[in-house]
Amino acid sequence: RQALTSAPRRVVSLIPSITEILFAIGAGDRVVGCTVYCTEPAEGVATKTRVGGEKNPRLELIRDLGADLVIVNVEENVREHVETLRSWGIPVYVVFPRTVADGIRLIGELGALLDAGPQAHEIETALRARYDEVRAAAPAHRPRRVFCPIWRKPYMTINRDTYIHDMLTVAGGQNVFAEAEKRYPEVTLDAVATAGAEVILLPDEPYRFRRVHQADFAPYPDLPAVRDGRIHLVDGKLLSWYGPRIAEALRVLPPLFA
């Protein structure tokens, strides 16, 4: 692995939430390339070179951009691409936040890496305070049994070994498929009914759930979430994007489990 001798000046981000973090900590001017899925902040990424998707980035273009750092995620990106970039002498920083606390801590780590420490520290400190506040309030409420799919046809969800699971937990939910063997198990709606979900969250990414999909659960009128009208459409970024987005997540999600 290549050691960084100075703060990188030409950064390529292959993760949308990381791109948002880089702008938030004041390092947006260092970003020379990002993926086609990097949408935030809209005005910031509008002028950046698009290098492809997470799974199929144009490695030669990244090299031609003169990147002196590429930031990737263990799950979203491809190991072979990391190895190729490193073989060309391009440093690659690999992240893999598994919890909300990890996602908050990552802001400070990126701030140190990019010599943007003060702004990163300010954001990290504010998020940590909000996180502690939400955690402290949690014992006052019984965790609500929650089903949060990430895909449809087939329905897929998440087990406990995921960032989304931890976000649900911190916000006051109890993931009904936490103990599934696979990280992203396929499930039937019969199984959701059996699990007794009290709240159902339908995010708009990675699958674009819409109001019409609430009808999928109509055959289960006795399911608490259906009976009590607690099927909510939510911004998927709140569940899966780490970084400054966590502030909004910890404001919007807890009331859904109250």
Side-chain angles (χ1 to χ4, degrees):
R1 300 187 180 189
Q2 297 78 17
L4 294 172
T5 56
S6 60
R9 307 300 306 180
R10 300 184 62 79
V11 180
V12 171
S13 168
L14 295 184
I15 318 154
S17 52
I18 290 292
T19 303
E20 183 176 51
I21 292 174
L22 297 180
F23 279 90
I25 65 176
D29 59 335
R30 318 268 192 92
V31 178
V32 295
C34 59
T35 76
V36 296
Y37 302 108
C38 293
T39 56
E40 300 293 343
E43 68 282 0
V45 298
T47 60
K48 303 303 181 181
T49 298
R50 303 301 178 139
V51 300
E54 287 99 324
K55 304 294 187 188
N56 57 348
R58 297 166 60 191
L59 302 183
E60 291 79 8
L61 176 56
I62 294 173
R63 180 175 58 185
D64 293 345
L65 285 171
D68 56 8
L69 181 69
V70 178
I71 305 178
V72 305
N73 175 284
V74 169
E75 195 167 55
E76 294 299 317
N77 305 115
V78 180
R79 177 188 292 270
E80 289 74 13
H81 296 160
V82 172
E83 293 172 350
T84 297
L85 291 167
R86 285 177 170 161
S87 74
W88 292 345
I90 301 174
V92 180
Y93 190 72
V94 181
V95 304
F96 193 25
R98 308 290 277 275
T99 65
V100 178
D102 287 346
I104 294 171
R105 190 161 44 245
L106 178 61
I107 298 170
E109 293 171 359
L110 289 172
L113 183 70
L114 295 170
D115 198 20
Q119 202 159 332
H121 179 71
E122 184 178 335
I123 296 171
E124 182 183 8
T125 299
L127 287 177
R128 172 63 62 181
R130 177 58 181 153
Y131 174 86
D132 290 343
E133 181 183 341
V134 171
R135 290 293 297 270
H141 305 282
R142 177 181 63 81
R144 300 288 184 180
R145 296 177 61 77
V146 58
F147 171 56
C148 181
I150 58 169
W151 205 255
R152 181 175 180 270
K153 290 190 175 180
Y155 263 94
M156 297 176 68
T157 186
I158 41 92
N159 77 357
R160 70 184 314 125
D161 189 30
T162 58
Y163 179 91
I164 296 175
H165 166 90
D166 192 65
M167 176 59 79
L168 295 174
T169 302
V170 171
Q174 180 183 350
N175 174 13
V176 295
F177 291 105
E179 303 306 322
E181 185 175 340
K182 294 182 178 179
R183 297 187 74 217
Y184 302 108
E186 291 185 17
V187 297
T188 65
L189 295 189
D190 284 351
V192 176
T194 300
E198 298 171 282
V199 178
I200 295 173
L201 301 185
L202 300 180
D204 62 2
E205 63 175 59
Y207 184 88
R208 198 173 180 82
F209 282 99
R210 285 291 176 259
R211 193 164 302 280
V212 66
H213 299 128
Q214 292 178 329
D216 289 359
F217 302 92
Y220 304 93
D222 295 329
L223 180 62
V226 176
R227 181 193 67 215
D228 300 335
R230 303 190 72 167
I231 304 178
H232 304 289
L233 298 171
V234 296
D235 179 353
K237 297 182 183 67
L238 302 183
L239 296 168
S240 60
W241 283 37
Y242 29 85
R245 183 80 46 175
I246 291 171
E248 186 181 358
L250 294 181
R251 176 181 63 82
V252 172
L253 296 177
L256 301 182
F257 301 122

